[in-house]
Amino acid sequence: MADLGSRGERILNGIPASRGVCRGKLFVLRQPTAHETPQYRISVNEVDAEYDRLQQALLLTRQQLHDLQHRVSETLGSDEARIFDAQLLVLEDPSLIDEVRKAVGTDHVNIDHAFARVAQRFIDGFAAMDDDYMRERAIDIRDVTHRVLQNLASPGSTPDLSQIREPSILVAHDLTPSQTALLDRKMILGFATDLGSSTSHTAILARALSLPAVTGLKDASQRVVNGEYALLDGFNGALVLHPSEQTLFEYGQIERRYLAMEEKLRQDRELPAVTLDRHEIVLSANIENAGETSEVLASGAEGVGLFRTEYLFLERATHPSEEEQYTAYRQLAERLHPAPVIIRTLDLGGDKMPVQPDAFTERNPFLGWRAIRLCLQERDLFRAQLRAILRAAVTGNIKMMYPMISSLDELGQANELVAECKASLAAEGIPYQADLEIGVMVEIPSAVIIADSLARHLRFFSIGTNDLIQYTLAVDRMNPKIAHLHQPTHPAVVRMIKATIDASHQAGIWTGVCGEMAGDPVLAPLLLGLGADELSVSPSLLPSVKYVLRRLKLSEARELAYFALQSESASEILERCRKLVRSIAPELLAC
Ligand code: PEP
Ligand code: MG
């Protein structure tokens, strides 16, 4: 790509997170939180003016919610629109408003601070209640609080996503995975964030949604203006503000090449993932949502290699019941039957936080209360999921794997719970799959080191390279400042993958790879050469992986792996991977 900076545009460089180019007006999202809310003292004379400010903000919020309700009613129906009734009721709640008024009058603090403080108390109170219905109210109060605080901060000028009126490029300091999952694809052309990397769950979701995305743009959200015209380049990781005619022309060429390549990929989609020397490898899809079956089928996947079930648990105050989960898993597996669906048990924690503010404030969430660790302590939560999976597996081709296993002890405890769930289902006369295939994700170095022991108790491994790289190299996968150190071709990572695959084969079980490394067509040949039996990737990336595999010989992949296992340099291995793909599918690297 030519140097675009010389033409007067402003280019902000970040990390390419999801391929594609889009252009349009920017929509800058600012979401004040209770922690960001300004706090200052006011004089007695200012109390009434502060209170008036609150009344204005409440009025504006009410108008926005009615407007939103009207639009949702037109597009989704009146039942869905009713969800805003609860939020409107919060605005009318006299106890909340009275407490805020009292706090301003007695403490002489600004109304924003008083509102945030009182609302947080209400949120915590509702979140801690036993009653499911009451706990759901915590989400309504939190949403309404955000909206009121935005309107207090700068009435009408700090928009939220519901205010997008035309398809736009979203710019935000950060987006949570659940916000990303809920993005309206008709209104969001792509997104750019200050934080994040290419293996954060937000980036993974952008690829699942086929939305161009750039992360790690540092302070871009502070430097751009709402409504400004820009081009987002998800291939190279750039946000080009006010692109010149020449730049738009050059990107037009890139897009044309990309579309031509997509057409080529479509032609291979239904064909098997088999190398030129007739070696077959299973290509499966990673999904975050039980409804993604059409994307799975359209991608040419042979099944689901990773279903990230935690998305069923996000953005709600109560956990889904066993019955709700059972229905979701059963419907997914039935729609894809006879193709296999590997359900990963809950991987909450890390960057995927449910709505329970106090329980999840950790200094090092990725080293903390996450995944299987959380499930082995929150046993009722885990039991409900295990029972739902065991039941759904009666009608579907379901397998199950545990995330973040670091020891045999954890595996043993999880399996004991499975045995307990089977016994209780049998006692209740509820049908379940007695011979459910169970595997684990290998994503912690200790699991690699004891892979031979683990393999004796399991039916398969699935290597989670996103976390395996993070934990092996001590590189936070969310931190854009060290994103360049998150290296899938680091010799230590290559050897870890090889050791895991060898241990599994010696024990007579298979190994898949489901981290983002598997979805990179440049790296897929290396994984094949290292002996992977399955690659599980985002449906949007699957066609390009298949395209490369179908133009490759297993012998070439093995030579590449042999080279990588001898090499001492991540960049040397990466260059060798690129060289191989350039020689067999140069058109893929050209866009
Ligand atoms: C991984 O760690 O590679 C993986 C697939 O799991 P997740 O990205 O959900 O942590
Ligand atoms: Mg992981």
Side-chain angles (χ1 to χ4, degrees):
M1 180 89 241
D3 173 22
L4 305 173
S6 57
R7 301 194 193 112
E9 312 106 326
R10 270 170 68 212
I11 302 176
L12 308 181
N13 288 306
I15 297 167
S18 177
R19 291 156 67 84
V21 172
C22 60
R23 56 182 76 75
K25 285 192 182 163
L26 296 183
F27 184 91
V28 187
L29 180 72
R30 282 231 347 112
Q31 285 188 301
T33 65
H35 309 292
E36 283 179 353
T37 308
Q39 179 183 1
Y40 49 89
R41 291 196 61 75
I42 57 165
S43 69
V44 184
N45 301 339
E46 289 173 305
V47 170
D48 284 347
E50 283 296 276
Y51 191 62
D52 281 350
R53 241 170 26 89
L54 178 63
Q55 291 304 340
Q56 293 300 326
L58 293 176
L59 194 66
L60 184 56
T61 308
R62 213 168 285 134
Q63 281 166 358
Q64 289 167 347
L65 286 175
H66 278 302
D67 188 25
L68 199 57
Q69 193 165 40
H70 180 66
R71 279 192 286 135
V72 170
S73 165
E74 280 186 342
T75 49
L76 296 174
S78 51
D79 277 357
E80 275 67 22
R82 237 169 259 136
I83 54 175
F84 296 104
D85 286 346
Q87 297 200 13
L88 282 161
L89 278 178
V90 175
L91 294 175
E92 313 284 340
D93 185 342
S95 53
L96 175 77
I97 310 298
D98 276 1
E99 277 206 43
V100 177
R101 186 207 272 264
K102 268 191 224 135
V104 177
T106 51
D107 301 346
H108 295 156
V109 289
N110 58 314
I111 198 97
D112 323 51
H113 177 69
F115 189 84
R117 206 176 60 192
V118 173
Q120 190 62 49
R121 259 211 328 274
F122 274 62
I123 294 169
D124 293 344
F126 277 97
M129 287 187 185
D130 284 339
D131 185 280
D132 283 0
Y133 175 81
M134 297 308 248
R135 277 206 302 273
E136 290 282 353
R137 300 287 69 77
I139 292 198
D140 293 322
I141 306 177
R142 195 192 55 174
D143 279 0
V144 147
T145 302
H146 272 141
R147 201 176 279 277
V148 173
L149 289 175
Q150 280 167 357
N151 289 330
L152 274 170
S154 182
S157 73
T158 49
D160 68 15
L161 287 176
S162 65
Q163 293 173 14
I164 298 189
R165 293 283 185 274
E166 60 182 303
S168 308
I169 299 172
L170 175 64
V171 182
H173 179 61
D174 194 15
L175 286 174
T176 64
S178 47
Q179 278 176 317
T180 312
L182 294 174
L183 288 179
D184 176 354
R185 287 165 72 182
K186 285 199 283 304
M187 285 297 174
I188 307 293
L189 302 168
F191 69 79
T193 57
D194 298 346
L195 300 184
S197 66
S198 66
T199 53
S200 61
H201 285 100
T202 297
I204 291 172
L205 277 168
R207 293 192 281 274
L209 296 169
S210 297
L211 273 180
V214 177
T215 54
L217 281 159
K218 303 187 185 81
D219 56 354
S221 69
Q222 306 293 328
R223 293 168 62 190
V224 300
V225 178
N226 217 26
E228 204 169 8
Y229 189 77
L231 181 147
L232 184 76
D233 170 6
F235 293 109
N236 301 296
L239 182 63
V240 185
L241 305 173
H242 307 292
S244 69
E245 287 297 317
Q246 178 63 21
T247 299
L248 290 172
F249 172 77
E250 287 183 20
Y251 273 101
Q253 309 272 60
I254 294 179
E255 271 179 291
R256 261 190 295 284
R257 280 205 300 275
Y258 179 59
L259 290 178
M261 190 64 226
E262 290 278 291
E263 186 45 44
K264 276 197 176 142
L265 297 180
R266 235 188 306 278
Q267 289 162 14
D268 272 14
R269 212 167 274 186
E270 298 304 320
L271 302 173
V274 57
T275 60
L276 292 173
D277 44 0
R278 313 302 312 157
H279 177 81
E280 282 183 34
I281 181 160
V282 179
L283 271 190
S284 313
N286 291 350
I287 59 168
E288 282 74 34
N289 176 334
E292 270 178 75
T293 44
S294 48
E295 286 85 345
V296 173
L297 295 170
S299 73
E302 291 166 62
V304 168
L306 166 64
F307 173 26
R308 291 183 164 99
T309 55
E310 48 280 2
Y311 286 89
L312 279 171
F313 291 68
L314 297 177
E315 279 304 298
R316 46 192 292 171
T318 54
H319 298 311
S321 64
E322 173 186 325
E323 215 50 40
E324 189 182 333
Q325 291 184 65
Y326 165 65
T327 307
Y329 304 151
R330 181 173 54 76
Q331 286 177 350
L332 168 66
E334 276 177 1
R335 283 190 201 124
L336 295 176
H337 199 266
V341 172
I342 302 181
I343 299 183
R344 175 174 78 183
T345 60
L346 261 180
D347 186 8
L348 283 176
D351 58 343
K352 290 171 289 191
M353 309 289 192
V355 186
Q356 283 182 355
D358 293 339
F360 283 87
T361 42
E362 295 182 273
R363 273 182 186 237
N364 291 307
F366 276 109
L367 297 182
W369 202 46
R370 185 185 164 190
I372 196 72
R373 301 163 179 190
L374 182 154
C375 287
L376 290 177
Q377 287 178 32
E378 298 286 310
R379 292 191 165 216
D380 286 345
L381 174 75
F382 198 25
R383 276 190 199 97
Q385 182 172 46
L386 294 175
R387 283 172 57 103
I389 296 172
L390 284 162
R391 290 171 57 197
V394 172
T395 47
N397 183 2
I398 288 178
K399 306 176 202 295
M400 177 174 81
M401 63 183 175
Y402 309 125
M404 296 275 294
I405 288 287
S406 66
S407 68
L408 280 157
D409 182 46
E410 277 169 344
L411 175 62
Q413 287 186 51
N415 281 342
E416 263 172 40
L417 274 176
V418 172
E420 193 191 289
C421 290
K422 285 181 184 175
S424 65
L425 287 167
E428 291 162 43
I430 300 174
Y432 66 92
Q433 172 57 267
D435 186 32
L436 180 68
E437 283 187 36
I438 299 179
V440 298
M441 298 224 13
V442 176
E443 47 188 351
I444 298 183
S446 62
V448 176
I449 292 165
I450 58 166
D452 54 343
S453 310
L454 287 171
R456 283 198 283 277
H457 304 272
L458 293 162
R459 307 280 272 275
F460 64 93
F461 284 153
S462 187
I463 304 179
T465 49
N466 306 334
D467 280 316
L468 185 60
I469 297 168
Q470 147 163 278
Y471 297 129
T472 302
L473 306 180
V475 174
D476 179 351
R477 65 191 266 192
M478 300 286 290
N479 187 338
K481 285 195 180 133
I482 48 168
H484 60 288
L485 298 175
H486 196 273
Q487 295 170 322
T489 54
H490 190 294
V493 173
V494 174
R495 291 176 208 184
M496 287 260 176
I497 295 172
K498 174 76 172 146
T500 307
I501 294 172
D502 285 353
S504 75
H505 289 172
Q506 269 154 29
I509 66 170
W510 59 271
T511 292
V513 181
C514 64
E516 294 307 292
M517 181 178 180
D520 185 339
V522 167
L523 303 177
L526 175 61
L527 295 172
L528 176 72
L530 290 170
D533 304 288
E534 180 229 26
L535 300 181
S536 190
V537 314
S538 166
S540 67
L541 302 174
L542 194 139
S544 53
V545 172
K546 186 186 277 185
Y547 188 86
V548 165
L549 295 175
R550 288 183 51 81
R551 281 153 186 80
L552 174 76
K553 289 196 192 115
L554 177 63
S555 54
E556 290 168 323
R558 284 193 173 142
E559 265 171 42
L560 173 67
Y562 181 79
F563 172 84
L565 289 165
Q566 313 301 316
S567 173
E568 294 175 349
S569 150
S571 52
E572 185 183 62
I573 299 172
L574 180 59
E575 189 39 50
R576 190 70 171 240
C577 294
R578 285 211 183 103
K579 194 171 158 200
L580 176 57
V581 173
R582 215 178 290 126
S583 71
I584 58 171
E587 60 283 18
L588 202 57
L589 296 188
C591 31

